[in-house]
């Protein structure tokens, strides 16, 4: 008997093999979950279909979170081909590259609106669309980053969007608690992906973590995936409205260690 046997989980945000969502899907599948994946746009469809075939061959459905029509069509397709959900993974973010360096006060109104729409509001949009297609007791999780609450130079508007996402996570946990549906966030340490490479100075962030974090290393998407397994499973049945750090302990450091040199 595996931890997630019989659980049907929808994973968003798989773009390629390096996506954190892929690491999560891989671990959920290893622990027995049946998976459906969403992809954004024809550009990544072939790759996501290939990855889905390795993960049990569940449905692969298009979903652009900025479009109500796309969200509704995704829900109808999931309801018809997959059934009610026991889990939902939100692994979606988008910020203009120009807004991932320089000064926050230079952020445009359009860049702010787009970042908050895709990276934060999308969690509300997904829950609004899918809540009737979710079983009571389901588990929802969203990916966040330390830049939500701490200053991480260059993360800028992405951090502001993550602060909104974490707050949305808590309010949704309250909204859905009467159905036993849990909503949590996983705060991942830096991992090299298509999105993270857009952040100014990202390779320096990867260099610093092993010198500072208590575990003296970076984390992998599979590490994040194992936290997702716990949150999707009944082991975390009493855990909701919280941020779970998978960052080798980096977030807890108040000062760099004495032997630190960059
Ligand atoms: O260091 C990192 N990589 C960290 C990432 C540390 C902590 C948190 N995160 C978060 C990200 O902010 C994001 O929420 O993890 C999540 C996944 O990010 P990722 O795995 O680093 O990046 P990526 O593989 O690019 O996945 C993000 C995906 C998009 O990928 P592309 O590369 O095509 O932009 O978000 C999806 C898309 O699949 N996405 C959308 N999905 C639906 N509708 C949309 C949209 N409009 N826009 C982007």
């Amino acid at each position: 008997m595996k931890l997630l046997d019989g659980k049907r989980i929808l994973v968003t945000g798989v773009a390629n093999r390096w996506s954190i969502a892929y690491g999560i899907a891989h671990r959920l599948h290893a622990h027995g979950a049946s998976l459906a994946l969403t992809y954004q746009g024809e550009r990544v469809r072939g790759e996501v279909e290939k990855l889905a075939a390795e993960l049990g061959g569940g449905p692969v459905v298009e979903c652009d979170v900025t479009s109500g029509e796309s969200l509704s069509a995704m829900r109808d397709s999931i309801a018809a081909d997959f059934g009610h959900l026991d889990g939902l993974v939100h692994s979606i973010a988008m910020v203009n590259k120009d807004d991932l360096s320089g000064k926050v006060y230079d952020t445009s109104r359009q860049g702010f609106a787009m970042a908050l729409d895709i990276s934060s509001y999308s969690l509300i949009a997904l829950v609004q669309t899918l809540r009737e297609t979710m079983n009571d007791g389901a588990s929802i999780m969203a990916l966040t980053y330390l830049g939500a609450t701490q200053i991480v130079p260059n993360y800028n508007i992405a951090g502001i969007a993550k602060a909104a996402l974490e707050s949305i996570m808590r309010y949704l946990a309250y909204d859905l608690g009467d159905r036993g549906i849990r909503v949590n966030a996983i705060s991942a340490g830096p991992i090299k992906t298509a999105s993270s490479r857009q952040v100014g100075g990202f390779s320096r962030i990867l260099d610093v973590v092993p010198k500072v974090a208590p575990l003296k290393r970076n984390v992998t998407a599979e590490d994040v995936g194992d936290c997702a397994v716990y949150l999707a499973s009944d082991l975390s049945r009493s855990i909701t409205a919280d941020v779970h750090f998978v960052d080798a302990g980096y977030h807890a450091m108040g000062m760099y260690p004495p032997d630190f040199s960059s």
Side-chain angles (χ1 to χ4, degrees):
M1 177 77 182
K2 292 178 176 171
L3 264 181
L4 302 178
D5 273 347
K7 295 215 186 272
R8 276 192 287 264
I9 302 178
L10 178 67
V11 180
T12 66
V14 176
N16 53 52
R17 198 175 286 283
W18 294 275
S19 298
I20 293 177
Y22 175 75
I24 291 174
H26 187 241
R27 298 309 297 155
L28 294 175
H29 173 64
H31 285 274
S34 301
L35 302 179
L37 304 184
T38 66
Y39 66 93
Q40 188 228 350
E42 286 303 311
R43 183 178 51 96
V44 295
R45 179 190 188 141
E47 182 65 14
V48 178
E49 283 179 344
K50 201 174 82 190
L51 296 174
E54 295 172 17
L55 297 167
V60 177
V61 185
E62 178 163 28
C63 180
D64 178 345
V65 293
T66 63
S67 155
E69 270 174 34
S70 177
L71 282 157
S72 301
M74 178 273 289
R75 179 206 43 225
D76 294 348
S77 167
I78 289 294
D81 299 339
F82 194 55
H84 273 56
L85 300 174
D86 303 295
L88 168 66
V89 177
H90 175 288
S91 187
I92 291 170
M94 181 65 74
V95 178
N96 285 332
K97 187 169 173 18
D98 288 351
D99 291 332
L100 287 169
S101 60
K103 304 292 188 191
V104 168
Y105 56 62
D106 286 327
T107 306
S108 67
R109 194 179 295 267
Q110 178 278 332
F112 181 91
M114 190 274 285
L116 271 282
D117 184 19
I118 298 181
S119 313
S120 319
Y121 179 75
S122 56
L123 180 59
I124 296 179
L126 280 166
V127 168
Q128 197 175 89
T129 307
L130 291 168
R131 75 194 158 87
E132 299 300 339
T133 312
M134 301 197 85
N135 288 321
D136 290 357
S139 173
I140 299 170
M141 62 197 89
L143 272 296
T144 187
Y145 179 57
L146 182 66
T149 53
Q150 308 293 116
I151 300 164
V152 177
N154 296 321
Y155 199 60
N156 295 6
I157 187 65
I160 294 164
K162 289 302 188 196
L165 181 71
E166 291 182 8
S167 182
I168 289 166
M169 173 275 291
R170 285 186 287 273
Y171 279 96
L172 291 176
Y174 179 70
D175 284 356
L176 297 168
D178 59 354
R179 292 179 54 196
I181 295 178
R182 301 175 293 104
V183 190
N184 288 281
I186 301 177
S187 187
I191 297 169
K192 202 186 272 184
T193 65
S195 293
S196 63
R197 275 195 289 263
Q198 308 296 312
V199 179
F202 183 74
S203 55
R204 182 174 169 267
I205 300 179
L206 279 177
D207 284 347
V208 166
V209 169
K211 296 175 183 164
V212 174
L215 294 180
K216 302 286 178 217
R217 61 174 174 82
N218 277 302
V219 300
T220 66
E222 304 275 312
D223 294 333
V224 177
D226 280 339
C227 180
V229 168
Y230 160 73
L231 288 175
S233 80
D234 296 338
L235 292 179
S236 58
R237 63 192 169 276
S238 304
I239 314 280
T240 194
D242 214 352
V243 177
H244 306 261
F245 286 88
V246 181
D247 68 346
Y250 182 87
H251 70 283
M253 296 296 292
M255 189 182 282
Y256 283 6
D259 57 354
F260 176 80
S261 70
S262 65

